[in-house]
Amino acid sequence: MIAKSVEVSGWDEPSEPLLLPLSNVGCDEFERALLPIVRDLNMTCVNPDMGNWLPVYGRAEKLWGAQTGLPLVYGLSQIVVSLVRIKGEKLDILIASDAWAQGVTHHEQLLLLMIHHMRRGHTQAGCDFLLDLLDGEMDTKLMNEALAFARRHSCGTPLLHTHDGVVGNRLRAVD
């Protein structure tokens, strides 16, 4: 990641990137835990010689177990690979080991908010954040990957399963 410059009196002085505190993004604990995974996946996409995905899968398995953690990393990897394909070097995602890890870049914020809204079934709001991330150009493949991730890791109300196999509430007619 290249630090952004600020012009002062006709010369450029390097500075830290403008970051928003992670606590101000408005995501739940699960979504905040995705950020280091996204950063690691992005690093391995941009610089394959710097690392591999195996430690990322291992950390996710420790956090959420194999049944949730492994598909989670796979789903996020599909999203990150598509973002790198679309935005290339313009994708502003920090390296996980950066000293600024408690803050998020604008692109990281948009990605987390997209996931946040899609997990709750607010597809239009998630789509708006994705459009902002992609500078107004929709990518159907990325949208489908984001929706698949949101469905797999939804935080919506679970359906009620009763002992007789009925899913959801029943309508009862009373005479």
Side-chain angles (χ1 to χ4, degrees):
M1 151 122 213
I2 300 171
K4 296 182 182 353
S5 298
V6 177
E7 190 164 320
V8 179
S9 307
W11 57 279
D12 288 344
E13 181 179 306
S15 67
E16 293 180 5
L18 298 174
L19 299 177
L20 178 69
L22 180 57
S23 59
N24 291 1
V25 174
C27 294
D28 63 25
E29 186 178 331
F30 174 83
E31 294 152 353
R32 287 190 299 270
L34 299 178
L35 184 58
I37 294 172
V38 166
R39 288 175 175 172
D40 283 342
L41 292 171
N42 179 66
M43 184 185 69
T44 59
C45 287
V46 174
N47 299 312
D49 296 336
M50 289 184 67
N52 66 51
W53 294 18
L54 291 177
V56 180
Y57 277 99
R59 282 194 307 276
E61 183 181 15
K62 277 185 183 177
L63 274 173
W64 296 292
Q67 195 169 20
T68 300
L70 301 181
L72 181 139
V73 173
Y74 176 76
L76 276 180
S77 71
Q78 300 304 300
I79 293 170
V80 171
V81 166
S82 288
L83 282 172
V84 169
R85 172 183 53 84
I86 295 164
K87 295 201 61 87
E89 291 180 7
K90 294 179 185 176
L91 184 60
D92 192 14
I93 293 181
L94 296 176
I95 296 171
S97 63
D98 275 343
W100 312 298
Q102 291 303 312
V104 294
T105 67
H106 183 62
H107 287 164
E108 291 171 337
Q109 176 189 13
L110 293 173
L111 177 60
L112 289 175
L113 288 171
M114 175 198 71
I115 291 169
H116 173 83
H117 286 287
M118 287 186 173
R119 289 182 66 225
R120 287 157 178 79
H122 305 146
T123 306
Q124 186 58 51
C127 184
D128 289 344
F129 284 109
L130 181 60
L131 281 170
D132 284 349
L133 182 59
L134 299 179
D135 303 319
E137 298 290 325
M138 181 51 70
D139 184 85
T140 307
K141 182 178 180 190
L142 177 54
M143 181 64 166
N144 289 334
E145 290 162 345
L147 288 169
F149 180 87
R151 273 190 305 274
R152 174 72 168 95
H153 304 286
S154 171
C155 64
T157 307
L159 295 174
L160 174 67
H161 293 270
T162 62
H163 68 282
D164 58 358
V166 174
V167 177
N169 296 328
R170 288 191 242 196
L171 178 63
R172 295 183 194 263
V174 179
D175 290 328

